[in-house]
Amino acid sequence: AHTTPSPSARPRQKRARHSVVTTQPPQTHQKPKQKARSRHPTKGNYGLTSPTGVRTISSSVHAGEIGRPSLSGTNLVFARSSARSSSLELVSLAGGAHRLLRLSRRGAALANPALLGGRLLYERSDRCSQQLRLGSAHAGGRERLLLSLRSTATRDPGYERGYEHAYNSASACRNRGPGRGARIRLGATALGVHAAYVTEVSSNASHARILTIHL
């Protein structure tokens, strides 16, 4: 005869113990993630006492966006242009601070800055004129117009000969009419204590001269 053992006679089962075990995943050789490209990748002292060292101060995606730099003491100033804006920027080589000096978003290009003693010399060009201006290195304040030339852009009258004139003709410029632009363009600049200097370059780059403007 078969007998069923009583509950007290059944062998006791060991209770399972729950524990959390952490394991480290196998080490794999992965390439370090590259940081997003910055317009001003380097901060801190740029090491002016080490002429053999090369440091990136600023960069751009497209060629021609960064203009000719100018150095005054430990301050570096340069122009940056894009399809949307044009600006003059200053970088302190001693501390790495970056500052925006001028900004234009209304169809004007800023170029060829020069800096000395808190004064900023630069060129502003639009569809009508080329201007050499002198002002404070800080934002705001009055500026002096040192030189003004016609722009190099060719402008049409806004209508075609032999046809009736519409109401929307070309926008007028006070200093020039439609037709070919000036044959002289403004180039590199320099700033002294008592004078400003600017280069005038012919349209075909066959000759150039440096003008001295006493302040």
Side-chain angles (χ1 to χ4, degrees):
H2 298 281
T3 59
T4 302
S6 62
S8 59
R10 293 179 181 178
R12 296 182 179 179
Q13 297 180 355
K14 295 183 179 180
R15 297 181 179 180
R17 295 181 179 179
H18 299 279
S19 60
V20 179
V21 180
T22 59
T23 59
Q24 296 182 353
Q27 296 182 357
T28 57
H29 297 282
Q30 297 180 354
K31 295 182 179 180
K33 294 183 179 180
Q34 295 182 354
K35 296 182 179 180
R37 190 175 182 179
S38 173
R39 292 173 58 180
H40 313 289
T42 307
K43 294 182 179 180
N45 194 302
Y46 287 92
L48 294 177
T49 58
S50 177
T52 59
V54 178
R55 304 288 294 274
T56 300
I57 296 175
S58 185
S59 61
S60 63
V61 178
H62 303 288
E65 288 188 355
I66 297 178
R68 179 191 65 87
S70 178
L71 185 64
S72 176
T74 58
N75 291 324
L76 182 72
V77 62
F78 58 92
R80 180 188 295 273
S81 299
S82 67
R84 295 183 178 182
S85 64
S86 182
S87 62
L88 301 179
E89 304 176 10
L90 182 144
V91 177
S92 172
L93 302 183
H98 178 268
R99 186 155 53 96
L100 181 66
L101 302 182
R102 297 291 190 278
L103 176 64
S104 174
R105 292 177 177 173
R106 299 182 179 180
L110 310 179
N112 295 320
L115 190 69
L116 180 66
R119 295 186 300 174
L120 176 67
L121 179 72
Y122 70 98
E123 296 167 4
R124 182 184 186 276
S125 302
D126 57 17
R127 59 184 177 83
C128 294
S129 64
Q130 309 174 70
Q131 298 178 347
L132 181 67
R133 307 182 70 91
L134 178 67
S136 172
H138 305 282
R142 299 183 62 180
E143 294 186 346
R144 290 179 56 186
L145 179 60
L146 302 182
L147 179 65
S148 181
L149 302 177
R150 292 188 305 156
S151 67
T152 57
T154 299
R155 304 186 67 247
D156 61 71
Y159 59 87
E160 188 175 353
R161 293 182 180 181
Y163 290 85
E164 183 179 356
H165 293 194
Y167 292 102
N168 55 338
S169 59
S171 56
C173 292
R174 296 180 179 179
N175 64 328
R176 59 163 297 184
R180 295 184 57 182
R183 297 182 178 181
I184 299 295
R185 63 176 177 86
L186 297 180
T189 64
L191 183 60
V193 178
H194 302 293
Y197 307 90
V198 61
T199 306
E200 287 188 343
V201 185
S202 62
S203 58
N204 58 0
S206 60
H207 65 275
R209 65 171 184 170
I210 298 177
L211 294 182
T212 301
I213 302 175
H214 297 282
L215 303 177

